[in-house]
Amino acid sequence: MNILGYDPIWKDRAAARFKEEHFRLIREGGFSSVRINLHPFSYMDPENGYKINPEWLEVMEWAVDNALENDLMVILDLHEHRKMGREYDQYEPYFLPFWEQIAGRYHGWPPEVLFELLGEPGNSITPEIWNGLLKEIIPVIRQTNPERTLIIGPAFWSQRFEYLDSLALPEDDRNIIATIHYYEPFRFTHQSAPWMASTRDTSGVLWNSLPEERDAINEDFNVVHEWSEKNNRPVYLGEFGAYDSADIQSRVLWYDFVSRTAEQMGFSWTVWQFDSDFIVYDIDNNQWNVPIIRALIPE
Ligand code: GLC
């Protein structure tokens, strides 16, 4: 389950929507991991070695501790790809110091904590630039965390699977999982989503689980599966979801088909996301979005 990315807790703990009890709820709901979407850059001080604000770190540690206590694996996902992709010169300098601090300070964490280096490398982060960043960052993390499992996705927002082939992962480092995100067909999953110019004015797009609709998803996942076999790397589907405004029956069919297909291919997954939008849990009314959770985790 993706959590905490857009929660006011990072600015003000008293304003938190996500509470301690939600970790237990997620576990009891049948999930086994959380991917914490981190936006640390505005809490780092470029005047002072890009030091991460201690209060921000406290929130992150609170989340990690509570997840582990509730038997949930934790993926620390640096979700600053928008800033890095769009204003590369300004934000690239934050990347290394962030991981240096996290890796250095928390090297004793249990192996159930995983580091995902950047959520969706895109825009100006081309495959070449991304490979260059990886070459720099992996050895730094490995100094303090020689065996920590790392999660790394391909450029183009981890959503163009032919780019898996361009991902240069260190051959002898086997503690790396490849990740992909899945939002296809995009006109269906992002209809009426205000931040997405290409689909913001689209509505009423259905997904009926027709043979050709299922084939399209199978074909995409087959590309990933073949890459995984050939490269001997496990695959993690870190995000997938269909926006709240889409037809609920279509959403149920799509969530069911995508999660079952991922499982058949041997991919682990986390759904996008607990709160905010694409919601799987309705915090305001203290209840699961029942049709969606039943599609993800059949009874
Ligand atoms: C990515 C973006 C997030 C968006 C989601 C679905 O995770 O970072 O902001 O909600 O994709 O479009």
Side-chain angles (χ1 to χ4, degrees), residues 41-42 44 46 50 78 80-97 133:
F41 286 1
S42 49
M44 292 169 68
Y50 296 93
L78 176 60
E80 293 281 25
H81 47 265
R82 239 175 243 173
K83 281 183 176 159
M84 269 184 72
R86 289 183 189 165
E87 291 159 277
Y88 187 76
D89 293 340
Q90 187 181 344
Y91 288 110
E92 184 274 330
Y94 289 69
F95 185 58
L96 193 74
L133 285 170

PDB file of all heavy atoms in Angstrom, residues 41-42 44 46 50 78 80-97 133:
ATOM      1  N   PHE A  41      12.671  17.236  -0.189  1.00  0.00           N
ATOM      2  CA  PHE A  41      13.577  18.287  -0.666  1.00  0.00           C
ATOM      3  C   PHE A  41      13.319  19.644  -0.015  1.00  0.00           C
ATOM      4  O   PHE A  41      14.250  20.375   0.256  1.00  0.00           O
ATOM      5  CB  PHE A  41      13.538  18.406  -2.188  1.00  0.00           C
ATOM      6  CG  PHE A  41      14.258  17.292  -2.919  1.00  0.00           C
ATOM      7  CD1 PHE A  41      14.865  16.254  -2.230  1.00  0.00           C
ATOM      8  CD2 PHE A  41      14.328  17.286  -4.303  1.00  0.00           C
ATOM      9  CE1 PHE A  41      15.519  15.217  -2.896  1.00  0.00           C
ATOM     10  CE2 PHE A  41      14.994  16.268  -4.986  1.00  0.00           C
ATOM     11  CZ  PHE A  41      15.580  15.232  -4.288  1.00  0.00           C
ATOM     12  N   SER A  42      12.043  19.971   0.242  1.00  0.00           N
ATOM     13  CA  SER A  42      11.832  21.290   0.847  1.00  0.00           C
ATOM     14  C   SER A  42      12.123  21.272   2.353  1.00  0.00           C
ATOM     15  O   SER A  42      11.993  22.290   3.025  1.00  0.00           O
ATOM     16  CB  SER A  42      10.427  21.813   0.555  1.00  0.00           C
ATOM     17  OG  SER A  42       9.483  20.841   0.847  1.00  0.00           O
ATOM     18  N   MET A  44      15.173  20.081   3.307  1.00  0.00           N
ATOM     19  CA  MET A  44      16.630  19.946   3.339  1.00  0.00           C
ATOM     20  C   MET A  44      17.242  21.333   3.170  1.00  0.00           C
ATOM     21  O   MET A  44      16.681  22.166   2.472  1.00  0.00           O
ATOM     22  CB  MET A  44      17.104  19.013   2.208  1.00  0.00           C
ATOM     23  CG  MET A  44      16.662  17.575   2.425  1.00  0.00           C
ATOM     24  SD  MET A  44      16.914  16.501   0.972  1.00  0.00           S
ATOM     25  CE  MET A  44      18.700  16.420   0.880  1.00  0.00           C
ATOM     26  N   PRO A  46      20.061  23.591   1.765  1.00  0.00           N
ATOM     27  CA  PRO A  46      21.216  23.695   0.865  1.00  0.00           C
ATOM     28  C   PRO A  46      22.346  24.556   1.435  1.00  0.00           C
ATOM     29  O   PRO A  46      23.494  24.429   1.038  1.00  0.00           O
ATOM     30  CB  PRO A  46      20.637  24.340  -0.406  1.00  0.00           C
ATOM     31  CG  PRO A  46      19.226  24.677  -0.137  1.00  0.00           C
ATOM     32  CD  PRO A  46      18.853  24.214   1.236  1.00  0.00           C
ATOM     33  N   TYR A  50      22.811  20.357   2.826  1.00  0.00           N
ATOM     34  CA  TYR A  50      21.545  19.680   2.491  1.00  0.00           C
ATOM     35  C   TYR A  50      21.033  18.812   3.649  1.00  0.00           C
ATOM     36  O   TYR A  50      20.414  17.772   3.456  1.00  0.00           O
ATOM     37  CB  TYR A  50      21.688  18.837   1.211  1.00  0.00           C
ATOM     38  CG  TYR A  50      21.974  19.681  -0.002  1.00  0.00           C
ATOM     39  CD1 TYR A  50      23.284  19.912  -0.409  1.00  0.00           C
ATOM     40  CD2 TYR A  50      20.943  20.277  -0.706  1.00  0.00           C
ATOM     41  CE1 TYR A  50      23.556  20.721  -1.509  1.00  0.00           C
ATOM     42  CE2 TYR A  50      21.199  21.083  -1.809  1.00  0.00           C
ATOM     43  CZ  TYR A  50      22.509  21.296  -2.202  1.00  0.00           C
ATOM     44  OH  TYR A  50      22.768  22.087  -3.279  1.00  0.00           O
ATOM     45  N   LEU A  78      11.854   7.675  -2.545  1.00  0.00           N
ATOM     46  CA  LEU A  78      12.116   9.101  -2.760  1.00  0.00           C
ATOM     47  C   LEU A  78      11.225   9.552  -3.924  1.00  0.00           C
ATOM     48  O   LEU A  78      11.474   9.220  -5.084  1.00  0.00           O
ATOM     49  CB  LEU A  78      13.599   9.333  -3.085  1.00  0.00           C
ATOM     50  CG  LEU A  78      13.952  10.784  -3.433  1.00  0.00           C
ATOM     51  CD1 LEU A  78      13.631  11.737  -2.290  1.00  0.00           C
ATOM     52  CD2 LEU A  78      15.412  10.915  -3.848  1.00  0.00           C
ATOM     53  N   GLU A  80      10.555  12.459  -5.260  1.00  0.00           N
ATOM     54  CA  GLU A  80      10.823  13.830  -5.727  1.00  0.00           C
ATOM     55  C   GLU A  80      11.130  13.882  -7.215  1.00  0.00           C
ATOM     56  O   GLU A  80      11.807  14.795  -7.692  1.00  0.00           O
ATOM     57  CB  GLU A  80      11.987  14.438  -4.936  1.00  0.00           C
ATOM     58  CG  GLU A  80      11.676  14.691  -3.464  1.00  0.00           C
ATOM     59  CD  GLU A  80      10.854  15.963  -3.230  1.00  0.00           C
ATOM     60  OE1 GLU A  80      10.132  16.413  -4.147  1.00  0.00           O
ATOM     61  OE2 GLU A  80      10.960  16.506  -2.122  1.00  0.00           O
ATOM     62  N   HIS A  81      10.600  12.925  -7.980  1.00  0.00           N
ATOM     63  CA  HIS A  81      10.934  12.878  -9.409  1.00  0.00           C
ATOM     64  C   HIS A  81      10.416  14.086 -10.171  1.00  0.00           C
ATOM     65  O   HIS A  81      10.975  14.472 -11.179  1.00  0.00           O
ATOM     66  CB  HIS A  81      10.399  11.591 -10.027  1.00  0.00           C
ATOM     67  CG  HIS A  81       8.984  11.309  -9.656  1.00  0.00           C
ATOM     68  ND1 HIS A  81       8.657  10.486  -8.604  1.00  0.00           N
ATOM     69  CD2 HIS A  81       7.820  11.760 -10.166  1.00  0.00           C
ATOM     70  CE1 HIS A  81       7.341  10.430  -8.503  1.00  0.00           C
ATOM     71  NE2 HIS A  81       6.809  11.197  -9.426  1.00  0.00           N
ATOM     72  N   ARG A  82       9.332  14.691  -9.670  1.00  0.00           N
ATOM     73  CA  ARG A  82       8.810  15.850 -10.400  1.00  0.00           C
ATOM     74  C   ARG A  82       9.814  16.997 -10.357  1.00  0.00           C
ATOM     75  O   ARG A  82      10.156  17.574 -11.385  1.00  0.00           O
ATOM     76  CB  ARG A  82       7.483  16.297  -9.789  1.00  0.00           C
ATOM     77  CG  ARG A  82       6.396  16.250 -10.833  1.00  0.00           C
ATOM     78  CD  ARG A  82       5.045  16.567 -10.286  1.00  0.00           C
ATOM     79  NE  ARG A  82       4.235  15.377 -10.451  1.00  0.00           N
ATOM     80  CZ  ARG A  82       3.012  15.219  -9.971  1.00  0.00           C
ATOM     81  NH1 ARG A  82       2.454  16.158  -9.249  1.00  0.00           N
ATOM     82  NH2 ARG A  82       2.359  14.106 -10.181  1.00  0.00           N
ATOM     83  N   LYS A  83      10.281  17.296  -9.136  1.00  0.00           N
ATOM     84  CA  LYS A  83      11.279  18.364  -9.005  1.00  0.00           C
ATOM     85  C   LYS A  83      12.551  18.013  -9.760  1.00  0.00           C
ATOM     86  O   LYS A  83      13.095  18.821 -10.511  1.00  0.00           O
ATOM     87  CB  LYS A  83      11.612  18.602  -7.528  1.00  0.00           C
ATOM     88  CG  LYS A  83      10.560  19.440  -6.803  1.00  0.00           C
ATOM     89  CD  LYS A  83      10.950  19.710  -5.366  1.00  0.00           C
ATOM     90  CE  LYS A  83       9.915  20.627  -4.722  1.00  0.00           C
ATOM     91  NZ  LYS A  83       9.935  20.543  -3.252  1.00  0.00           N
ATOM     92  N   MET A  84      13.018  16.805  -9.568  1.00  0.00           N
ATOM     93  CA  MET A  84      14.283  16.436 -10.220  1.00  0.00           C
ATOM     94  C   MET A  84      14.162  16.378 -11.737  1.00  0.00           C
ATOM     95  O   MET A  84      15.082  16.748 -12.457  1.00  0.00           O
ATOM     96  CB  MET A  84      14.796  15.097  -9.691  1.00  0.00           C
ATOM     97  CG  MET A  84      15.708  15.298  -8.501  1.00  0.00           C
ATOM     98  SD  MET A  84      16.418  13.762  -7.923  1.00  0.00           S
ATOM     99  CE  MET A  84      17.587  13.373  -9.210  1.00  0.00           C
ATOM    100  N   GLY A  85      13.026  15.915 -12.222  1.00  0.00           N
ATOM    101  CA  GLY A  85      12.848  15.785 -13.669  1.00  0.00           C
ATOM    102  C   GLY A  85      12.645  17.122 -14.357  1.00  0.00           C
ATOM    103  O   GLY A  85      13.082  17.328 -15.480  1.00  0.00           O
ATOM    104  N   ARG A  86      11.979  18.037 -13.651  1.00  0.00           N
ATOM    105  CA  ARG A  86      11.645  19.314 -14.309  1.00  0.00           C
ATOM    106  C   ARG A  86      12.662  20.400 -14.064  1.00  0.00           C
ATOM    107  O   ARG A  86      12.835  21.282 -14.894  1.00  0.00           O
ATOM    108  CB  ARG A  86      10.268  19.782 -13.834  1.00  0.00           C
ATOM    109  CG  ARG A  86       9.175  18.902 -14.396  1.00  0.00           C
ATOM    110  CD  ARG A  86       7.806  19.389 -13.999  1.00  0.00           C
ATOM    111  NE  ARG A  86       6.807  18.406 -14.372  1.00  0.00           N
ATOM    112  CZ  ARG A  86       5.561  18.397 -13.907  1.00  0.00           C
ATOM    113  NH1 ARG A  86       5.174  19.322 -13.050  1.00  0.00           N
ATOM    114  NH2 ARG A  86       4.714  17.468 -14.288  1.00  0.00           N
ATOM    115  N   GLU A  87      13.283  20.379 -12.888  1.00  0.00           N
ATOM    116  CA  GLU A  87      14.299  21.404 -12.578  1.00  0.00           C
ATOM    117  C   GLU A  87      15.569  20.702 -12.137  1.00  0.00           C
ATOM    118  O   GLU A  87      15.987  20.786 -10.980  1.00  0.00           O
ATOM    119  CB  GLU A  87      13.771  22.337 -11.479  1.00  0.00           C
ATOM    120  CG  GLU A  87      12.639  23.225 -11.949  1.00  0.00           C
ATOM    121  CD  GLU A  87      11.822  23.745 -10.775  1.00  0.00           C
ATOM    122  OE1 GLU A  87      10.937  23.014 -10.299  1.00  0.00           O
ATOM    123  OE2 GLU A  87      12.094  24.870 -10.331  1.00  0.00           O
ATOM    124  N   TYR A  88      16.107  19.973 -13.100  1.00  0.00           N
ATOM    125  CA  TYR A  88      17.210  19.066 -12.794  1.00  0.00           C
ATOM    126  C   TYR A  88      18.400  19.786 -12.166  1.00  0.00           C
ATOM    127  O   TYR A  88      18.939  19.348 -11.152  1.00  0.00           O
ATOM    128  CB  TYR A  88      17.637  18.347 -14.080  1.00  0.00           C
ATOM    129  CG  TYR A  88      18.645  17.267 -13.821  1.00  0.00           C
ATOM    130  CD1 TYR A  88      18.257  16.053 -13.263  1.00  0.00           C
ATOM    131  CD2 TYR A  88      20.002  17.469 -14.110  1.00  0.00           C
ATOM    132  CE1 TYR A  88      19.180  15.064 -13.002  1.00  0.00           C
ATOM    133  CE2 TYR A  88      20.925  16.476 -13.856  1.00  0.00           C
ATOM    134  CZ  TYR A  88      20.508  15.276 -13.301  1.00  0.00           C
ATOM    135  OH  TYR A  88      21.425  14.307 -13.038  1.00  0.00           O
ATOM    136  N   ASP A  89      18.795  20.912 -12.748  1.00  0.00           N
ATOM    137  CA  ASP A  89      20.000  21.586 -12.236  1.00  0.00           C
ATOM    138  C   ASP A  89      19.818  22.039 -10.798  1.00  0.00           C
ATOM    139  O   ASP A  89      20.735  22.001  -9.998  1.00  0.00           O
ATOM    140  CB  ASP A  89      20.361  22.784 -13.114  1.00  0.00           C
ATOM    141  CG  ASP A  89      20.811  22.311 -14.492  1.00  0.00           C
ATOM    142  OD1 ASP A  89      21.185  21.124 -14.604  1.00  0.00           O
ATOM    143  OD2 ASP A  89      20.760  23.113 -15.440  1.00  0.00           O
ATOM    144  N   GLN A  90      18.608  22.453 -10.489  1.00  0.00           N
ATOM    145  CA  GLN A  90      18.363  22.920  -9.133  1.00  0.00           C
ATOM    146  C   GLN A  90      18.292  21.761  -8.126  1.00  0.00           C
ATOM    147  O   GLN A  90      18.769  21.878  -6.999  1.00  0.00           O
ATOM    148  CB  GLN A  90      17.057  23.723  -9.082  1.00  0.00           C
ATOM    149  CG  GLN A  90      16.872  24.366  -7.717  1.00  0.00           C
ATOM    150  CD  GLN A  90      15.583  25.158  -7.613  1.00  0.00           C
ATOM    151  OE1 GLN A  90      14.945  25.500  -8.618  1.00  0.00           O
ATOM    152  NE2 GLN A  90      15.163  25.431  -6.385  1.00  0.00           N
ATOM    153  N   TYR A  91      17.690  20.657  -8.533  1.00  0.00           N
ATOM    154  CA  TYR A  91      17.396  19.615  -7.536  1.00  0.00           C
ATOM    155  C   TYR A  91      18.303  18.392  -7.566  1.00  0.00           C
ATOM    156  O   TYR A  91      18.331  17.637  -6.594  1.00  0.00           O
ATOM    157  CB  TYR A  91      15.925  19.193  -7.637  1.00  0.00           C
ATOM    158  CG  TYR A  91      15.019  20.272  -7.104  1.00  0.00           C
ATOM    159  CD1 TYR A  91      14.203  21.015  -7.944  1.00  0.00           C
ATOM    160  CD2 TYR A  91      15.029  20.580  -5.734  1.00  0.00           C
ATOM    161  CE1 TYR A  91      13.395  22.032  -7.448  1.00  0.00           C
ATOM    162  CE2 TYR A  91      14.227  21.586  -5.231  1.00  0.00           C
ATOM    163  CZ  TYR A  91      13.413  22.308  -6.092  1.00  0.00           C
ATOM    164  OH  TYR A  91      12.621  23.310  -5.593  1.00  0.00           O
ATOM    165  N   GLU A  92      19.050  18.214  -8.636  1.00  0.00           N
ATOM    166  CA  GLU A  92      19.962  17.056  -8.658  1.00  0.00           C
ATOM    167  C   GLU A  92      20.915  17.079  -7.453  1.00  0.00           C
ATOM    168  O   GLU A  92      21.189  16.022  -6.865  1.00  0.00           O
ATOM    169  CB  GLU A  92      20.710  17.024 -10.000  1.00  0.00           C
ATOM    170  CG  GLU A  92      21.607  15.824 -10.183  1.00  0.00           C
ATOM    171  CD  GLU A  92      22.991  16.028  -9.595  1.00  0.00           C
ATOM    172  OE1 GLU A  92      23.482  17.183  -9.558  1.00  0.00           O
ATOM    173  OE2 GLU A  92      23.574  15.025  -9.158  1.00  0.00           O
ATOM    174  N   PRO A  93      21.387  18.273  -7.015  1.00  0.00           N
ATOM    175  CA  PRO A  93      22.300  18.290  -5.869  1.00  0.00           C
ATOM    176  C   PRO A  93      21.704  17.757  -4.560  1.00  0.00           C
ATOM    177  O   PRO A  93      22.445  17.497  -3.611  1.00  0.00           O
ATOM    178  CB  PRO A  93      22.663  19.780  -5.714  1.00  0.00           C
ATOM    179  CG  PRO A  93      22.382  20.394  -7.043  1.00  0.00           C
ATOM    180  CD  PRO A  93      21.245  19.613  -7.629  1.00  0.00           C
ATOM    181  N   TYR A  94      20.379  17.598  -4.511  1.00  0.00           N
ATOM    182  CA  TYR A  94      19.764  17.072  -3.285  1.00  0.00           C
ATOM    183  C   TYR A  94      19.818  15.543  -3.217  1.00  0.00           C
ATOM    184  O   TYR A  94      19.656  14.954  -2.152  1.00  0.00           O
ATOM    185  CB  TYR A  94      18.272  17.472  -3.216  1.00  0.00           C
ATOM    186  CG  TYR A  94      17.994  18.921  -2.943  1.00  0.00           C
ATOM    187  CD1 TYR A  94      18.292  19.906  -3.885  1.00  0.00           C
ATOM    188  CD2 TYR A  94      17.395  19.322  -1.750  1.00  0.00           C
ATOM    189  CE1 TYR A  94      18.006  21.247  -3.640  1.00  0.00           C
ATOM    190  CE2 TYR A  94      17.102  20.656  -1.495  1.00  0.00           C
ATOM    191  CZ  TYR A  94      17.406  21.611  -2.448  1.00  0.00           C
ATOM    192  OH  TYR A  94      17.113  22.929  -2.205  1.00  0.00           O
ATOM    193  N   PHE A  95      19.975  14.920  -4.367  1.00  0.00           N
ATOM    194  CA  PHE A  95      19.777  13.473  -4.479  1.00  0.00           C
ATOM    195  C   PHE A  95      20.785  12.678  -3.644  1.00  0.00           C
ATOM    196  O   PHE A  95      20.407  11.871  -2.785  1.00  0.00           O
ATOM    197  CB  PHE A  95      19.865  13.108  -5.973  1.00  0.00           C
ATOM    198  CG  PHE A  95      19.565  11.688  -6.321  1.00  0.00           C
ATOM    199  CD1 PHE A  95      18.349  11.100  -6.011  1.00  0.00           C
ATOM    200  CD2 PHE A  95      20.510  10.911  -7.002  1.00  0.00           C
ATOM    201  CE1 PHE A  95      18.067   9.783  -6.366  1.00  0.00           C
ATOM    202  CE2 PHE A  95      20.238   9.600  -7.365  1.00  0.00           C
ATOM    203  CZ  PHE A  95      19.015   9.041  -7.037  1.00  0.00           C
ATOM    204  N   LEU A  96      22.057  12.937  -3.882  1.00  0.00           N
ATOM    205  CA  LEU A  96      23.100  12.202  -3.168  1.00  0.00           C
ATOM    206  C   LEU A  96      23.075  12.478  -1.659  1.00  0.00           C
ATOM    207  O   LEU A  96      23.075  11.539  -0.865  1.00  0.00           O
ATOM    208  CB  LEU A  96      24.461  12.539  -3.791  1.00  0.00           C
ATOM    209  CG  LEU A  96      25.630  11.656  -3.393  1.00  0.00           C
ATOM    210  CD1 LEU A  96      25.538  10.302  -4.067  1.00  0.00           C
ATOM    211  CD2 LEU A  96      26.946  12.331  -3.780  1.00  0.00           C
ATOM    212  N   PRO A  97      23.016  13.750  -1.238  1.00  0.00           N
ATOM    213  CA  PRO A  97      22.973  14.005   0.211  1.00  0.00           C
ATOM    214  C   PRO A  97      21.769  13.365   0.906  1.00  0.00           C
ATOM    215  O   PRO A  97      21.869  12.941   2.054  1.00  0.00           O
ATOM    216  CB  PRO A  97      22.888  15.533   0.324  1.00  0.00           C
ATOM    217  CG  PRO A  97      23.346  16.065  -0.975  1.00  0.00           C
ATOM    218  CD  PRO A  97      23.102  15.003  -2.010  1.00  0.00           C
ATOM    219  N   LEU A 133      23.388   8.677 -12.663  1.00  0.00           N
ATOM    220  CA  LEU A 133      23.050   8.903 -11.254  1.00  0.00           C
ATOM    221  C   LEU A 133      23.173   7.599 -10.455  1.00  0.00           C
ATOM    222  O   LEU A 133      23.683   7.586  -9.328  1.00  0.00           O
ATOM    223  CB  LEU A 133      21.615   9.433 -11.128  1.00  0.00           C
ATOM    224  CG  LEU A 133      21.383  10.895 -11.514  1.00  0.00           C
ATOM    225  CD1 LEU A 133      19.879  11.194 -11.564  1.00  0.00           C
ATOM    226  CD2 LEU A 133      22.058  11.835 -10.516  1.00  0.00           C
TER     227      LEU A 133
END
